[in-house]
Each structure stands twice: as structure tokens, then as C-alpha cells.
Amino acid sequence: AQTVTQSQPEMSVQEAETVTLSCTYDTSESNYYLFWYKQPPSRQMILVIRQEAYKQQNATENRFSVNFQKAAKSFSLKISDSQLGDTAMYFCAFMTNNNDMRFGAGTRLTVKP
Amino acid sequence: DAGITQSPRHKVTETGTPVTLRCHQTENHRYMYWYRQDPGHGLRLIHYSYGVKDTDKGEVSDGYSVSRSKTEDFLLTLESATSSQTSVYFCAIRDRGQNTEAFFGQGTRLTVV
């Protein structure tokens, strides 16, 4: 079974600084898909960024980028120029070809003014 | 916003009673998921569906059953509710394709007393 581990329950960062959230996963599959979702206090889940395992290039979406290390089974999220609106729970997610989608326990990020 | 609606939004029920939560979509998406969200555990997959009458178990399926008789509806049933099933339940939908984004409902807060 696939597992997703987020080892940082809580993190904080000063506004305009950079922060990195960690995610590791365990799978025997060779092809899979990775996602980061954020959940602000409104409880709405929002896709932040996605990565296909067969792509070596790290995905980037504006201030958000990932560091995907396939051999280490690591998928960290870097948030640059942090903004107050980035305060949220962040979930790492993993999906195999059978469309079974699993999430980690989450990291609560607080951006401080 | 993706057309996905969960009902009810809040429910309080007694231990031992059956409960059914409904997820309704207007997007004609193939995949539908039920998760529960608990502090310290993130989102855990209960069941998912890859088509009408096609469902599979997730990581915490004990005590839950699902049905999908129409593309647009995915029902989650707690046959005999227990206090350990007090949680926030989220439904999600995804279109065909391996890298497609999941869209989530607003969540249902279920309290079993």
C-alpha cells in the first residue's frame, strides 16, 4: 500500500521569506503522480501544484515550486515570497495508475506579518 | 467552481443508527472519492469509485459502505454509527486522465453521540 508522510505538523515563516514543506512517500510503483493541496480556514481544498513521476523537471507555479527526488521518494514544496494568504494546511498527495489517491497528515503553515 | 455538493453539511446522530451522506456532481467526472479528515491524520481515503457500480476500498473502509448507481451520485453509508466515526467527511471528484485535478466538496461535519 502507498503511504505519504509529512513530518512537520506545524511551521511558521515571516512574510516575504521562503519556506519549504517536506513530504516523503513509499511505493513500489514506477509511475505515479504527486500533488500539493492547500486548505485555508474556509476548509476548501485548493490544488497548488502537481508533478508526474516520469518528468525529471521540477514543477513550478509562480511562487510555488517542488523539489522532486524520485530515488529518495521525496517531494518537497517551496513557497517563495510568503504572503499572509498562504496561511493554511498543506497536504501532500500521491496517486497511482489505479486512481487511488492518498494524502499525508498535513502541515499547518502560519505566515507572520 | 466545480459542481460538487455534499449533503447534509452538518449532522448529529446517535450511536448505533445508520447514516447516509450524499455527494452529488454536475461535472460528469468519472472518479469520485470519500475521505474523512481528523486532526493529526490528514485526509484518509474511505472508498472511491471509478464508474457506475465500480467501487474500491481505501485505507479506512471498515464500518463504511458506498454505492454509485448513477454517475452523478456517490453515497457513503455508516451502517451503525460509532463515536470513532465522528469526523469531517469530504467528497472529491476527478475527470479522466492521470494528472487531473481533484475538486472537493464543502465537507460534512458528522457527530456521533
Side-chain angles (χ1 to χ4, degrees), chain B residues 51-85:
Chain B
V52 174
K53 292 187 169 57
D54 291 324
T55 65
D56 207 348
K57 295 180 179 180
E59 57 195 309
V60 290
S61 59
D62 287 349
Y64 302 94
S65 62
V66 290
S67 66
R68 192 172 178 195
S69 58
K70 299 183 291 184
T71 299
E72 57 266 33
D73 288 326
F74 192 34
L75 304 181
L76 177 70
T77 297
L78 291 65
E79 301 291 345
S80 178
T82 68
S83 58
S84 64
Q85 294 176 312

Side-chain angles (χ1 to χ4, degrees), chain A residues 43-58:
Chain A
R43 222 164 64 181
Q44 182 63 41
M45 294 285 285
I46 303 165
L47 177 67
V48 175
I49 198 165
R50 69 189 98 183
Q51 173 88 39
E52 296 95 331
Y54 63 86
K55 288 187 176 179
Q56 292 187 339
Q57 186 173 4
N58 289 325

